[in-house]
Amino acid sequence: MNEVYFQVWRANVGRCPVYLLDTNRPENEQRYRDLTLRVYGGDSTTRIMQEVCSVSACAPPAGARCSTLGVHMNEGHAAFLTLELVREKLDAGKSFQDALAQSKAECIFTTHTPVEAGHDRFSRDLVITC
């Protein structure tokens, strides 16, 4: 994947800031600008690219003064985020078991489609390509 630029939008939901990622930036090729246009829909390539973009949610936006208590993942749409959380802890010198346990404690998972058809599946070739 080429470099993709994001605009980060902050929305206050009650007392909680929510950061939304937006790829509709002039620096991006059109196919990347549309990544965050819709959450649902698109082909498998669009869907996996959206999920890979979830890794960007690990780092707070530049200049943000916040502490992250956890990350909310709806369905599998942020599945790669869990891998990034573990990787960051491994890079900081944690053992795999400690990194995994700490990452699990940071994740909040919800689903509204608890059936097989509600979850994306990607071929190995597509994962490697993206």
Side-chain angles (χ1 to χ4, degrees):
M1 182 192 276
N2 295 331
E3 213 168 87
V4 178
Y5 296 89
F6 293 90
Q7 170 74 43
V8 179
W9 298 95
R10 178 185 166 143
N12 292 318
V13 180
R15 297 180 314 174
C16 299
V18 175
Y19 295 98
L20 306 170
L21 303 177
D22 182 359
T23 57
N24 189 14
R25 303 276 310 156
E27 304 92 337
N28 290 331
E29 296 174 34
Q30 187 61 48
R31 62 185 174 144
Y32 298 134
R33 291 183 73 168
D34 291 343
L35 278 178
T36 55
L37 183 63
R38 288 178 197 82
V39 176
Y40 300 104
D43 60 12
S44 292
T45 302
T46 300
R47 297 287 295 196
I48 195 169
M49 287 172 49
Q50 288 174 329
E51 294 187 22
V52 169
C53 288
S54 72
V55 171
S56 300
C58 282
R65 292 184 302 203
C66 63
S67 62
T68 303
L69 299 175
V71 292
H72 173 248
M73 298 177 297
N74 181 48
E75 308 269 331
H77 307 309
F80 291 102
L81 177 59
T82 58
L83 300 175
E84 178 64 7
L85 291 170
V86 171
R87 186 200 61 78
E88 286 178 350
K89 289 166 185 59
L90 291 173
D91 286 354
K94 302 281 184 192
S95 70
F96 177 75
Q97 291 303 322
D98 288 344
L100 184 61
Q102 288 177 10
S103 296
K104 282 182 180 181
E106 294 173 3
C107 295
I108 301 161
F109 177 81
T110 58
T111 186
H112 54 83
T113 316
V115 295
E116 185 84 15
H119 301 282
D120 293 320
R121 295 219 183 323
F122 303 110
S123 71
R124 178 182 170 89
D125 291 341
L126 184 56
V127 171
I128 290 169
T129 300
C130 288

